[in-house]
Amino acid sequence: MKHSLLVVIMMLSYTLLFSQQDAWVYLVDKENVSASISNPISILTAQAINRKNAKGIAIDVRDVPVNEAYISQLKLQSGITVMAKSKWFNAVHVRGSEIDINNLSNLAFVESVDFADKNLNPEGRQTTQQSKQQQEASLINFSYGSTQNQVEMINIDGLHQLNFTGDGMIVAVLDSGFPNVNTMSAFQRLRTNGDLLDGYDFVSRSSDVYQFTGSDHGTKTLSTMAGFVQDQYVGTAPDASYYVFRTEDVDSENPVEESYWVEAAERADSLGVHIINSSLGYTVYDNPNYSYTPDQMDGQTAFISRGANMAAEKGILVVNSAGNSGNSSWQIVGAPADAADVFTIGGVDSQGNYSSFSSRGSAIQPTLKPDVVAKASSTSVISQSGSIVNNSGTSFSSPIMAGAIACLMQALPELPIEDLKQVIRMSASQYDSPDYFLGFGIPNMQQALDIALSQNDVALETFKIFPNPVEEILNIKSSSILSSELKIFDVMGKEMLHQKLNTPNNRIDVSGLSSGVYILHVISSVNSITHKFIKS
C-alpha cells in the first residue's frame, strides 16, 4: 500500500513538473529610455560607463532596465511565476502552464512569447523580440515602402545592410519649421531612441520649434532622413541624431534670415554637430535693395555663404539644396549653395533624369555646382499630419543625401570631410564628364565606401578589413596591429575564433562560420579596435 502510494505521488509530481513550462516573454518597450541614456549614471555604475567609453562602446537602449511595472503585472497573472529578467533582450523568463503562458500574449505590453520547448511555438516562428534584436544587431533589411526608389537610387540601402544607419552621427536641420515632429508616429522611433536631441526657433526666439509657423517644410525634409513607418517608409539615416533649428520665416524674405542661419550654424558647431542640412536658398528679397544679382552668386558675397564656409572650416559638413530656379530667369544655384565648401545637391526624377526645376551651376561659382544629385521630383515625404505624400524640389534631394552621408561618415569616422565628399563624387554616375545640370551625377554610396577602403591612406575605424561581406578569407591590413590578438564573437557574445596577428597583412579563414554578423576585436598593447563584418 505504501509502495503504491509512493508511486502515485511520484507520478503526480512528474506530471506536475512537466505540465509547467518555461518561456521568455519579450516586452514591447522600456521606460524613460531617452532620459536614461542621457544620464547613464542612473542605470550604470561609473566603472561600467568608463569601460564603455574607453572601448568606444555606445550606451544604448539595451542598457536601460526592464520596466518594473510590466514585471509586476506579469506576477499578478494567473499561474505565472517570474523567474528572471534580461534588460539586454527586454525579456522576462516565466514559468507556468502552456495555457497560462499563452494568455500572456493578450497583454498590451507583451511583444511575443517564446517557449523553451520549441515544439510549443508556432512552426517557423521568427517574430520574437530576440530574433528581432539579433537581426537589428546584424544584417539590416528594411522594408522601404514608398522611399524605395529614392533610397536605392543612391544605393544607401547597401550601407544600411552593413548596419551603417547613421548611428552616432549628429545632424542639424536648418529649415522653416517642424510642426508635430515631437508627437507624430512617423518620428516615434527617433524619439524612443533618444535621437531627437533638441530644437530652437531662431525666428521667434523660442524653444518651441514644433508649433506650426506657416509651413511644415522642415517636418518634410527631416522625414526623408529620420522618418520611419514600419514597412511603409524609411529615411536615409533613421538612426542618426538630430537637432532641428528654424531659421526661415516664410512670411517674408529678408536678409535677417541669413543671420538666423549663421547663428544656428554657430549653435550647431558648439553642440558638436557633424552635418548640417539646409534646404534653403537666398537670392532676392522683398526689399529689392537687399536683393542679390546672379553675378553675386560667387560663393563669397552673400553673408550666409561666407557663414557656410566658416561652418565647413569648423569641421561641419554642410549639405545644401541647389535651389528650384532651373526653369526661371534666375536659373543658377543660389546662396549658400554657391559656397565652395558647401556640398550642393541638385535633383533628378525617379528615372535619374534631370529635374528641369533644379538650379544649375555656373562659371560664376568657384567650384562645380551642383556636386551631386538625388531624387527631387515626386519625392516621398511625410507631412505634419503624418501622411506620406509626394513633393518635388531640391529641398528633398538635399536631406536624402545628407542622411546618406551620415551613414557613410559612420562607416568612415576618421576620413577627412573633403576626402569624404570626394569619394562621393568619384562614385557618381558622370564623374568623368560632370556638367552644370547634374554635377558629377547620381552617387553610389556603397561604391563610395569601397573607393575609400581601397585607397592606401584610408582606413575604416583605423584599419582595413575586406571583403565585407566575406565568404571564406577575411583580409586584415594595418601596420598598427602587429603582435596583436584577434578575437571574433557572434552577436550573442560567444567567442568563435582567437588567434595571433603578427604581420601587416593577415588572411583569416572564416569559412567555418555560419552566415550572419560577427564582431571582430583586435587587442594590442596600446589599443583595441572593434569592427563588424558579415559572413555571407
Side-chain angles (χ1 to χ4, degrees):
M1 183 67 179
K2 289 183 180 179
H3 177 73
S4 299
L5 183 59
L6 180 60
V7 171
V8 170
I9 292 173
M10 290 177 64
M11 291 179 64
L12 288 173
S13 299
Y14 182 88
T15 301
L16 180 61
L17 175 64
F18 286 94
S19 67
Q20 295 287 290
Q21 300 294 336
D22 280 49
W24 292 273
V25 177
Y26 294 91
L27 308 176
V28 295
D29 57 18
K30 290 183 175 182
E31 189 178 31
N32 300 325
V33 172
S34 299
S36 297
I37 294 174
S38 300
N39 184 30
I41 196 65
S42 66
I43 56 174
L44 297 168
T45 65
Q47 183 179 12
I49 295 170
N50 292 337
R51 177 178 58 80
K52 288 176 179 289
N53 291 338
K55 298 297 183 181
I57 299 171
I59 296 172
D60 57 28
V61 66
R62 290 169 295 182
D63 296 302
V64 179
V66 178
N67 190 325
E68 288 294 334
Y70 293 163
I71 296 177
S72 296
Q73 291 185 58
L74 287 172
K75 290 179 177 178
L76 295 174
Q77 303 306 305
S78 176
I80 296 298
T81 302
V82 173
M83 307 299 296
K85 61 184 178 182
S86 169
K87 65 179 182 181
W88 289 351
F89 293 100
N90 195 24
V92 177
H93 188 121
V94 301
R95 184 170 295 162
S97 70
E98 180 182 355
I99 293 175
D100 288 337
I101 292 175
N102 274 324
N103 285 338
L104 299 179
S105 298
N106 297 322
L107 298 174
F109 59 85
V110 171
E111 173 75 28
S112 59
V113 174
D114 183 20
F115 283 91
D117 181 349
K118 301 307 178 186
N119 293 319
L120 300 179
N121 292 321
E123 187 175 358
R125 184 176 191 159
Q126 294 295 327
T127 60
T128 67
Q129 186 70 13
Q130 180 180 7
S131 65
K132 285 182 181 179
Q133 288 183 345
Q134 289 176 359
Q135 290 168 9
E136 290 172 359
S138 55
L139 184 64
I140 292 179
N141 287 302
F142 289 126
S143 178
Y144 291 97
S146 63
T147 64
Q148 184 168 349
N149 177 257
Q150 61 207 48
V151 165
E152 291 184 346
M153 179 181 291
I154 58 175
N155 201 8
I156 191 58
D157 52 318
L159 266 65
H160 288 174
Q161 289 178 5
L162 295 176
N163 207 25
F164 297 123
T165 54
D167 187 30
M169 300 296 104
I170 306 174
V171 181
V173 187
L174 280 55
D175 218 288
S176 62
F178 304 87
N180 300 332
V181 167
N182 59 330
T183 57
M184 287 168 53
S185 61
F187 297 109
Q188 182 61 54
R189 174 189 175 113
L190 187 70
R191 298 191 300 269
T192 298
N193 292 339
D195 286 328
L196 184 58
L197 300 179
D198 202 357
Y200 189 75
D201 185 336
F202 286 88
V203 180
S204 299
R205 298 296 169 184
S206 168
S207 58
D208 185 5
V209 74
Y210 305 115
Q211 63 180 326
F212 182 69
T213 54
S215 171
D216 65 350
H217 190 266
T219 298
K220 290 176 177 177
T221 60
L222 179 65
S223 71
T224 65
M225 294 178 279
F228 184 88
V229 180
Q230 185 69 45
D231 299 328
Q232 297 181 52
Y233 195 101
V234 183
T236 50
D239 293 326
S241 299
Y242 296 88
Y243 288 100
V244 291
F245 298 136
R246 179 188 175 220
T247 64
E248 166 72 6
D249 184 352
V250 296
D251 293 330
S252 64
E253 285 297 306
N254 186 285
V256 70
E257 293 166 290
E258 296 186 49
S259 297
Y260 294 149
W261 193 101
V262 172
E263 197 174 2
E266 292 173 0
R267 176 80 63 89
D269 176 48
S270 69
L271 292 169
V273 162
H274 300 100
I275 298 169
I276 285 176
N277 179 77
S278 165
S279 293
L280 301 169
Y282 298 94
T283 54
V284 297
Y285 291 110
D286 296 338
N287 183 340
N289 294 326
Y290 296 155
S291 296
Y292 296 109
T293 64
D295 288 345
Q296 291 176 312
M297 296 293 98
D298 57 6
Q300 302 172 25
T301 300
F303 181 78
I304 192 173
S305 299
R306 288 182 279 128
N309 280 332
M310 183 72 73
E313 290 175 16
K314 293 293 185 180
I316 300 174
L317 200 162
V318 182
V319 183
N320 207 99
S321 55
N324 302 321
S325 300
N327 283 328
S328 73
S329 59
W330 183 275
Q331 282 197 336
I332 66 171
V333 165
D338 63 332
D341 292 333
V342 168
F343 204 59
T344 302
I345 314 300
V348 294
D349 63 18
S350 61
Q351 301 301 310
N353 300 314
Y354 169 69
S355 296
S356 60
F357 56 77
S358 181
S359 295
R360 309 168 191 176
S362 165
I364 296 169
Q365 278 128 26
T367 59
L368 180 72
K369 300 292 182 178
D371 288 274
V372 294
V373 291
K375 189 177 181 182
S377 295
S378 295
T379 308
S380 182
V381 301
I382 302 176
S383 70
Q384 63 174 323
S385 67
S387 300
I388 298 173
V389 298
N390 290 328
N391 281 186
S392 296
T394 59
S395 287
F396 308 116
S397 58
S398 178
I400 285 172
M401 272 307 305
I405 292 170
C407 299
L408 185 64
M409 188 178 287
Q410 178 194 359
L412 301 164
E414 297 189 0
L415 190 65
I417 286 177
E418 289 306 314
D419 292 346
L420 193 76
K421 292 192 287 188
Q422 183 59 15
V423 297
I424 295 172
R425 297 186 190 104
M426 292 172 68
S427 77
S429 58
Q430 53 180 47
Y431 176 67
D432 294 327
S433 55
D435 58 36
Y436 289 144
F437 295 89
L438 304 183
F440 292 98
I442 302 171
N444 181 325
M445 301 306 285
Q446 175 70 66
Q447 187 177 341
L449 175 60
D450 294 340
I451 291 170
L453 295 179
S454 68
Q455 296 179 355
N456 292 332
D457 58 347
V458 174
L460 176 59
E461 295 177 352
T462 74
F463 71 112
K464 289 198 295 185
I465 69 168
F466 59 93
N468 189 5
V470 59
E471 292 185 359
E472 295 183 353
I473 302 298
L474 183 67
N475 295 280
I476 304 177
K477 183 177 182 180
S478 174
S479 60
S480 66
I481 58 175
L482 294 175
S483 301
S484 300
E485 287 190 1
L486 166 71
K487 294 182 179 181
I488 293 177
F489 302 88
D490 65 14
V491 293
M492 301 304 294
K494 180 181 179 182
E495 185 176 305
M496 307 301 293
L497 187 149
H498 184 182
Q499 69 181 66
K500 295 284 187 180
L501 300 178
N502 294 310
T503 67
N505 300 290
N506 299 271
R507 289 169 53 85
I508 311 300
D509 185 355
V510 295
S511 59
L513 298 179
S514 301
S515 298
V517 171
Y518 293 87
I519 308 300
L520 181 150
H521 194 44
V522 177
I523 307 168
S524 71
S525 59
V526 294
N527 66 355
S528 63
I529 299 168
T530 301
H531 186 61
K532 294 177 183 176
F533 70 91
I534 297 174
K535 170 64 168 60
S536 59

